[in-house]
Amino acid sequence: MMRQRDETPHDEHETSGSTTALLLRYARARAGDEGVAHIIEESGVDHTAAELENAQSWFTYETRTALLEAMVTVLDDPQAALRAGESAIVYGVEHARLLMMRAFTSPRPVYQLMPDVIHDISTVTAVEVVSTTRTSATIRVRTTGNHEPHRLDCALTRGYVSAIPVVFGLPPATIVHDECQCDGFAACTYTIVWEKRRRRWRLRRPASSLPAALELAALRGQLRDLQQSASSLVASDDVDTVLDRIVDQASSVVSATAFVLVVDTDEAPIVRTRGAAGATMDALVTAVSRGDQLSTSCAVVEVASAHGRRGRLAAARPENVPMSDDERALLQSYARHAAAALDLVGAVETSRRETTRATALLTLARDLTAAHDADAVAEVAATALPRITGARSASLMLWSSAEGYMRAAAASGHTPTERAMLLAREIRADGTPELVELLTRRQPMHIESARASLSLATLIGTIGATSVTIVPLVAGEELMGVVTVGWPRPLSPRQRDEALDRVAGVADQVATALQNARLLATVEHQALHDALTGLPNRTLFNRLLDRELSSGTNDLGTAVLFCDLDRFKHVNDRWGHGAGDEVLRQVTHILRSEISASDTLARLGGDEFGIILRATDDVRTALAVAHRLVARLDQPLRIDGRELRITSSIGISLHSGPEGRADRMLGAADNAMYVAKQRGRDQVAVAGETEPLLPVPSLEGELRRAIEGHQLRLHFQPVVDVSATDHCTVLGAEALLRWEHPRLGLLAPGSFLPLAEDCGLITELDLWALNAACLALAGWEEASPPCPRGPLRVAVNLAADTLVDPRLVPAVRAALTRNGLAPERLHLELVESRSLTDVSGVIERLAELRQMGVRISLDDFGTGFSTLAWLQTLPVDQIKIDRSFVMALEEGGSIALVRGVLALAHELNIEVVAEGVEEPHQLSMLRDAGCRMAQGYLLGRPMPTFVGNVAPIGLPGPDSPAVET
């Protein structure tokens, strides 16, 4: 049978100590310690302030109401009870419970859990949730048992429930209280209304810091609670007291409605519980004892140490409130404290005669609780170990996995020379077999210098020892270091075993303290640094800038550079946030490399960076640095196998002398940066030297609206078969994009396509042109006579980004299907000089298109690089000789090159089209060279509609060839 202590609430278990603590803390904030003492005296309760402020204690309902009445009287404030409830977020909510609330996205789930929340602080108050919406809730609160409802208790509850939205950065809720139990109603009915969380559209508008500050304070408080709980656990040498404290104080680590501790013994397991009673608790105890798998709303951790498993500790919540991984980790850390406490109590019980040693262990636990960083923990452990073990000396060494060595962080019991030599020594795995074994097995070991490896034996002799006991410091799966104790003489087997046991008992506490110290350091670092780049964040930047300004003199000045990446949003939109993150990391590296080590670089948020230039009162120096950064960032970045170009705009502000303020300097630099952007981006502006610019229409914004506004047009230039000498046959046309701008008129592609590529709109334009060209092609058959050379075809130009865009192939397939076109009638042209940066992606996409039957053309052939290699690599059906070669045909070299291209294309079975034919003699020379297809002004200008029977312009005499379709 299990020995289970009855935790059924009695009269003294009616009001939680967290409620009385709230009242006294609020009163102390209003009237100080003297006011608190006066309230306790006025109330007539038989408890001290310390007892009433112990959140683990319980009191009667009458104690609560007496304190409320006394507080109203002493503070001379009829609204004191209500205001005390409203201050609960600051004075009364346990850190674990506050973090649980913050895990939700809105107040609604918290109000849904109100029955459990109130039950944890008052067993004579029943809560019923009538209804909840996204911004409101209705609850009924009733005082149960033989107790009369009290208006001040009602006011306290109203204040408490109104404060919950504050946790989420919202104003306090509005409470409508139309029915009160004090007025004869069956219960108090509260209608609670809170504001809806609003989306923040302005990126740089500072968000409320209250919820984040509450959360950070709660995290730190939770760690302090964990450390204080650990100290409290080892403050008693009575097993029953320690077991009770383990379950009682678990709520300071994790917020839950029930806790179960099951400790294994040689006889029946010992069970301690807190919270829920009756069948629910019985079922939980049974499940934990059997090791059953519980739901995600429960956390079960092993109470274990290096000495072995002690049992299990479980925390349970309602089914709709899951336990997070962080909370499980904290509960596991607390369980390690509990295991260490049980180990310690067991040792004390079996060796009460060793009073000095037991005192040293308790002192160690208290000192470890007070140690807030790794160096302090190491110093405490190294100082305490000789007193605990009876050794001459001790040390704590930390393991650096990155560097691959152990190094002493603290040492005691050595001469100054020995200590200096030990602290300066690095013990590496290569050459130290004992360290390799320790890293592999992670088990305590005892080493005699006579049997040690040469390097370790030398170190042992250097510190004046003969025998050394080494115990690893392990937290979870991480080896953090070792603790060592040394003796100047060999030890007997019994002495070695005792030393190993004693050091191992301490090592668990030290490992947990080290882990907590690192966790606290991590929390503080994360609060002040950017997770992606590791740079200081805006908060730390302002703090460092204020510190720099406060130390300034009239001779030395400070400059702030506000750097913003231009059009960074397009990187995320086009290539994904992974590419955007890599851009930010590379930009961080570039900025670091361009400023001095004494300057400060921070990521202020998003794509904004801040730089503090110290001892810089000359604007020319700041301008030189800023221009250097702008030029450096203007270079292409290599991201995921492709080159991305991103520019920056920088604003500068300067200050000399005292009375500088960080927020003003940063704001001035921010404003100057916007001036640089208005000037066209990729520039530098100095605060105070610029005038605000009037807003001008944004061509980029107009281009974004051009597609939806039906402002895009296609013009068609015919592609003609010129192989016959007596006539020409129109084979199809090339679709050329135009923009019918409402202010600027009809714009040619050169006026807006570079902007489209720069701002990420080129693919949208290409896909529009693809659909429009296929639609036009479907109507040409009806408007033109049949072509003797087969169905007419249309060619569409595609940019490099479009070629690798996943939407291209589906768009081609849809356009052909929708217009009933054979795939071979669509020619897709890529430009050799620009489109071939991502070769593997282009080849894959072109092969997929050719499998569909679409024909591929290489435009502007001969103007790019590695031309012949592209013909061998790319799946090409046609090449188009660039107009520059056609214009220079009269030069001997050009016609020779054209003949060579034609011969090569003939061998590869690739069509050739000559572009830019504008003169009759050019057409004649191309015919003589064997070119069969051409296009140009001579054969037809780009027109809004396809014309298949236009005669060539400028052919002389009656022998001019006729053009037919």
Side-chain angles (χ1 to χ4, degrees):
M1 294 291 293
M2 297 182 181
R3 302 198 303 263
Q4 182 170 348
R5 174 167 294 184
D6 182 17
E7 296 293 345
T8 302
H10 299 291
D11 289 344
E12 68 274 13
H13 280 69
E14 295 172 343
T15 297
S16 167
S18 60
T19 300
T20 55
L22 164 64
L23 300 181
L24 295 192
R25 290 169 187 165
Y26 173 77
R28 184 176 288 107
R30 291 278 304 272
D33 289 333
E34 183 178 352
V36 170
H38 191 183
I39 289 172
I40 295 175
E41 180 182 1
E42 179 73 18
S43 68
V45 300
D46 190 20
H47 298 286
T48 65
E51 292 170 343
L52 293 169
E53 289 187 89
N54 182 1
Q56 308 301 324
S57 300
W58 283 85
F59 307 96
T60 64
Y61 174 80
E62 286 72 19
T63 299
R64 180 167 84 209
T65 56
L67 288 173
L68 286 168
E69 292 173 350
M71 183 175 66
V72 169
T73 301
V74 172
L75 298 181
D76 192 23
D77 182 2
Q79 300 298 319
L82 177 65
R83 292 186 177 122
E86 292 171 343
S87 69
I89 299 302
V90 177
Y91 298 120
V93 178
E94 297 171 355
H95 300 123
R97 189 181 302 280
L98 179 59
L99 290 174
M100 184 187 74
M101 291 183 183
R102 285 281 291 160
F104 295 115
T105 59
S106 75
R108 184 180 186 180
V110 180
Y111 287 115
Q112 290 172 335
L113 292 173
M114 191 58 62
D116 293 323
V117 174
I118 296 299
H119 183 269
D120 281 351
I121 61 177
S122 175
T123 60
V124 297
T125 304
V127 178
E128 174 190 1
V129 180
V130 179
S131 64
T132 63
T133 69
R134 294 179 62 186
T135 57
S136 68
T138 300
I139 63 174
R140 291 195 183 98
V141 181
R142 179 172 55 88
T143 302
T144 63
N146 298 323
H147 301 290
E148 290 292 328
H150 200 291
R151 292 192 183 276
L152 293 180
D153 189 50
C154 179
L156 178 68
T157 303
R158 292 202 314 274
Y160 182 85
V161 298
S162 70
I164 288 173
V166 177
V167 177
F168 303 91
L170 302 173
T174 301
I175 308 295
V176 177
H177 183 204
D178 293 329
E179 297 179 5
C180 183
Q181 192 177 6
C182 297
D183 296 330
F185 289 91
C188 290
T189 301
Y190 302 137
T191 300
I192 309 158
V193 180
W194 61 90
E195 287 189 8
K196 181 180 179 181
R197 184 186 292 273
R198 296 177 180 175
R199 181 176 182 181
R200 300 187 180 276
W201 295 100
R202 290 292 301 273
L203 180 60
R204 295 181 180 85
R205 181 179 297 169
S208 171
S209 61
L210 179 58
L214 286 173
E215 185 167 358
L216 180 58
L219 284 170
R220 291 173 172 168
Q222 197 172 24
L223 290 175
R224 288 195 299 271
D225 290 346
L226 178 61
Q227 294 170 333
Q228 291 168 0
S229 297
S231 178
S232 177
L233 290 179
V234 298
S236 173
D237 57 2
D238 178 72
V239 174
D240 285 335
T241 302
V242 172
L243 294 175
D244 290 339
R245 287 179 178 176
I246 289 174
V247 291
D248 287 343
Q249 297 180 10
S251 61
S252 65
V253 179
V254 174
S255 180
T257 55
F259 293 92
V260 173
L261 173 67
V262 178
V263 178
D264 297 328
T265 67
D266 294 336
E267 301 176 1
I270 301 174
V271 177
R272 291 290 188 271
T273 63
R274 180 181 186 273
T280 301
M281 180 59 77
D282 293 340
L284 182 60
V285 170
T286 301
V288 174
S289 301
R290 292 191 312 209
D292 294 347
Q293 184 72 29
L294 301 180
S295 68
T296 58
S297 62
C298 300
V300 181
V301 297
E302 296 290 323
V303 181
S305 68
H307 291 293
R309 178 180 175 280
R310 292 286 186 174
R312 294 187 184 90
L313 177 63
R317 289 178 179 165
E319 288 296 327
N320 59 340
V321 188
M323 197 77 67
S324 70
D325 290 340
D326 291 338
E327 290 174 309
R328 294 175 190 275
L330 283 171
L331 189 63
Q332 181 64 72
S333 180
Y334 178 77
R336 284 194 290 269
H337 281 296
L342 292 174
D343 289 343
L344 184 57
V345 169
V348 170
E349 285 191 336
T350 58
S351 58
R352 286 190 176 276
R353 289 171 297 180
E354 302 179 20
T355 306
T356 302
R357 185 166 293 144
T359 302
L361 288 171
L362 292 172
T363 302
L364 171 67
R366 289 195 297 268
D367 291 346
L368 288 177
T369 301
H372 297 297
D373 57 58
D375 290 338
V377 171
E379 197 64 43
V380 168
T383 303
L385 276 168
R387 297 197 304 269
I388 294 172
T389 61
R392 171 183 177 267
S393 61
S395 69
L396 188 147
M397 296 185 172
L398 296 178
W399 167 247
S400 172
S401 58
E403 303 295 336
Y405 62 73
M406 287 274 189
R407 188 166 188 173
S412 65
H414 304 88
T415 65
T417 301
E418 293 171 349
R419 186 175 187 275
M421 295 181 65
L422 178 60
L423 294 178
R425 186 71 175 269
E426 295 176 355
I427 306 176
R428 296 188 173 273
D430 48 345
T432 312
E434 295 86 351
L435 179 54
V436 174
E437 181 181 357
L438 185 72
L439 294 173
T440 304
R441 300 181 57 192
R442 299 187 178 184
Q443 295 295 321
M445 61 175 61
H446 186 84
I447 299 175
E448 301 287 346
S449 61
R451 296 187 178 90
S453 62
L454 179 61
S455 60
L456 189 58
T458 303
L459 178 61
I460 293 174
T462 300
I463 61 175
T466 300
S467 302
V468 177
T469 297
I470 303 174
V471 177
L473 300 173
V474 180
E477 297 297 324
E478 180 185 6
L479 175 67
M480 294 183 290
V482 297
V483 288
T484 71
V485 291
W487 286 265
R489 64 187 185 282
L491 300 182
S492 67
R494 183 186 61 83
Q495 290 173 322
R496 289 199 300 267
D497 291 342
E498 288 181 356
L500 285 171
D501 288 342
R502 291 167 183 168
V503 178
V506 172
D508 279 346
Q509 298 181 65
V510 176
T512 301
L514 274 176
Q515 186 183 37
N516 289 340
R518 291 183 178 182
L519 180 59
L520 180 59
T522 299
V523 170
E524 292 178 345
H525 184 275
Q526 290 175 345
L528 296 174
H529 290 79
D530 173 51
L532 177 65
T533 62
L535 296 175
N537 60 14
R538 184 183 290 266
T539 300
L540 182 55
F541 182 84
N542 283 333
R543 189 178 300 176
L544 295 174
L545 182 55
D546 271 328
R547 186 183 305 167
E548 178 68 22
L549 294 174
S550 64
S551 63
T553 66
N554 291 324
D555 298 328
L556 298 178
T558 303
V560 169
L561 274 59
F562 196 111
C563 176
D564 184 274
L565 304 182
D566 298 329
R567 298 191 177 97
F568 177 74
K569 180 178 181 297
H570 302 318
V571 176
N572 285 331
D573 292 344
R574 191 188 309 179
W575 305 113
H577 289 280
D581 290 346
E582 179 59 26
V583 168
L584 293 174
R585 282 188 285 263
Q586 292 194 28
V587 168
T588 298
H589 176 74
I590 292 171
L591 295 177
R592 272 178 171 158
S593 67
E594 294 295 334
I595 62 175
S596 67
S598 61
D599 298 329
T600 296
L601 171 65
R603 183 185 176 197
L604 305 179
D607 58 348
E608 300 172 344
F609 294 85
I611 300 173
I612 302 174
L613 301 181
R614 293 175 170 81
T616 309
D617 55 347
D618 188 349
V619 68
R620 291 174 296 181
T621 303
L623 278 170
V625 174
H627 283 298
R628 188 169 70 245
L629 295 177
V630 167
R632 183 69 176 82
L633 291 174
D634 199 16
Q635 303 301 315
L637 303 176
R638 193 72 177 173
I639 307 294
D640 294 335
R642 64 175 66 89
E643 286 190 349
L644 296 182
R645 179 177 176 269
I646 190 164
T647 60
S648 62
S649 301
I650 296 180
I652 301 174
S653 64
L654 295 100
H655 178 83
S656 299
E659 299 181 0
R661 283 181 50 179
D663 56 344
R664 291 178 179 175
M665 281 199 72
L666 192 60
D670 190 3
N671 292 334
M673 180 272 295
Y674 274 109
V675 173
K677 283 188 177 293
Q678 288 180 317
R679 288 175 172 174
R681 299 182 174 88
D682 200 20
Q683 298 189 33
V684 177
V686 180
E689 297 184 2
T690 59
E691 294 295 332
L693 301 179
L694 295 176
V696 297
S698 168
L699 193 62
E700 176 183 333
E702 292 177 318
L703 182 57
R704 290 183 182 277
R705 295 187 292 270
I707 299 178
E708 297 178 357
H710 305 290
Q711 299 172 11
L712 299 180
R713 306 285 186 269
L714 284 183
H715 284 203
F716 300 95
Q717 184 175 36
V719 177
V720 180
D721 182 351
V722 297
S723 58
T725 58
D726 57 344
H727 69 276
C728 298
T729 302
V730 176
L731 304 177
E734 179 180 356
L736 302 172
L737 190 61
R738 301 289 188 266
W739 180 10
E740 190 71 45
H741 193 282
R743 293 188 296 109
L744 306 176
L746 188 66
L747 299 182
S751 303
F752 61 90
L753 287 187
L755 174 63
E757 291 181 341
D758 189 34
C759 64
L761 293 175
I762 189 65
T763 299
E764 305 300 329
L765 299 184
D766 284 351
L767 295 180
W768 180 91
L770 172 67
N771 284 297
C774 289
L775 178 63
L777 176 60
W780 291 352
E781 300 292 351
E782 299 177 1
S784 304
C787 175
R789 290 285 302 275
L792 295 172
R793 56 202 186 188
V794 68
V796 180
N797 288 279
L798 297 182
D801 289 346
T802 308
L803 286 171
V804 294
D805 192 289
R807 296 174 293 173
L808 175 60
V809 174
V812 169
R813 185 179 293 110
L816 294 174
T817 302
R818 183 168 50 250
N819 295 287
L821 300 176
E824 62 270 13
R825 300 180 64 188
L826 175 62
H827 287 209
L828 298 181
E829 296 187 3
L830 59 151
V831 180
E832 175 200 4
S833 58
R834 297 195 306 270
S835 300
L836 306 179
T837 56
D838 184 5
V839 179
S840 60
V842 169
I843 293 175
E844 179 181 353
R845 193 56 45 81
L846 294 182
E848 189 173 0
L849 289 167
R850 289 192 78 201
Q851 289 176 358
M852 293 172 53
V854 176
R855 297 173 64 81
I856 305 300
S857 177
L858 187 60
D859 200 8
D860 296 345
F861 184 76
T863 60
F865 50 91
S866 302
T867 301
L868 297 180
W870 294 135
L871 285 181
Q872 185 178 7
T873 303
L874 298 175
V876 174
D877 301 291
Q878 182 188 84
I879 58 176
K880 304 184 80 169
I881 299 176
D882 187 68
R883 62 183 296 111
S884 60
F885 294 99
V886 175
M887 298 296 292
L889 281 175
E890 293 181 345
E891 302 175 8
S894 180
I895 188 63
L897 288 174
V898 170
R899 289 195 183 101
V901 170
L902 290 167
L904 177 62
H906 178 74
E907 290 295 327
L908 297 176
N909 195 26
I910 296 176
E911 289 183 350
V912 178
V913 178
E915 292 185 298
V917 180
E918 298 181 358
E919 301 293 340
H921 71 273
Q922 295 172 347
L923 177 60
S924 177
M925 294 180 70
L926 288 170
R927 277 176 171 160
D928 293 342
C931 183
R932 301 175 60 85
M933 289 185 289
Q935 70 181 89
Y937 281 5
L938 179 67
L939 304 169
R941 293 176 177 270
M943 300 295 289
T945 58
F946 173 71
V947 179
N949 55 359
V950 179
I953 299 173
L955 287 181
D959 297 329
S960 299
V963 177
E964 62 181 36
T965 56

